[in-house]
Amino acid sequence: MMNPISDFFLTPADVAKELAQRVKQRRLEQQLTQAELAKKADIPLSTYRRFEQTAQISLEGLLNVAFALGLLEDVNQLFTNKTWSSIDDMLQQTKTKHRVRHD
């Protein structure tokens, strides 16, 4: 699990690279070649290869890949958590979640 403060400083490029790596790992776990996954996702092989290499893919392509891997519900859960309006809100919520009661 990542630290909430370090998550705050991730760039979109960082997240895209991590996402591409996670998708590749799921592909390998399911013992699929790039060509097999691209076919299941109904996207060109070149598009899928580019995604693994550069983390660039259209939203529709990513959704097709997620569907082909059986992970569409994971993508559907994006943006369902409450967002913070400030760093103070984030830190306060994090403290509250991790507060341990000592009697």
Side-chain angles (χ1 to χ4, degrees):
M1 183 172 162
M2 296 186 86
N3 180 332
I5 294 176
S6 66
D7 288 348
F8 187 76
F9 297 105
L10 288 172
T11 67
D14 294 334
V15 173
K17 287 175 189 172
E18 287 180 21
L19 181 61
Q21 284 298 89
R22 281 187 238 132
V23 168
K24 179 180 179 179
Q25 185 60 40
R26 299 297 89 72
R27 174 181 66 79
L28 294 173
E29 287 170 0
Q30 294 185 27
Q31 299 180 340
L32 294 169
T33 66
Q34 289 180 333
E36 290 168 333
L37 181 53
K39 184 175 181 177
K40 280 183 73 168
D42 196 28
I43 61 174
L45 176 56
S46 60
T47 297
Y48 185 76
R49 281 188 176 145
R50 184 176 61 247
F51 173 57
E52 280 195 7
Q53 292 172 354
T54 68
Q56 295 180 353
I57 194 169
S58 69
L59 178 57
E60 183 178 1
L62 181 61
L63 294 174
N64 287 348
V65 168
F67 181 76
L69 290 170
L71 300 170
L72 191 57
E73 184 57 34
D74 291 352
V75 177
N76 193 38
Q77 293 301 312
L78 288 174
F79 310 116
T80 58
N81 293 330
K82 183 179 185 317
T83 58
W84 303 292
S85 59
S86 71
I87 190 94
D88 290 331
D89 288 347
M90 180 194 67
L91 292 172
Q92 184 60 39
Q93 186 174 359
T94 302
K95 275 186 190 176
T96 303
K97 283 184 177 179
H98 292 79
R99 188 175 292 162
V100 177
R101 185 175 179 168
H102 298 282
D103 291 328

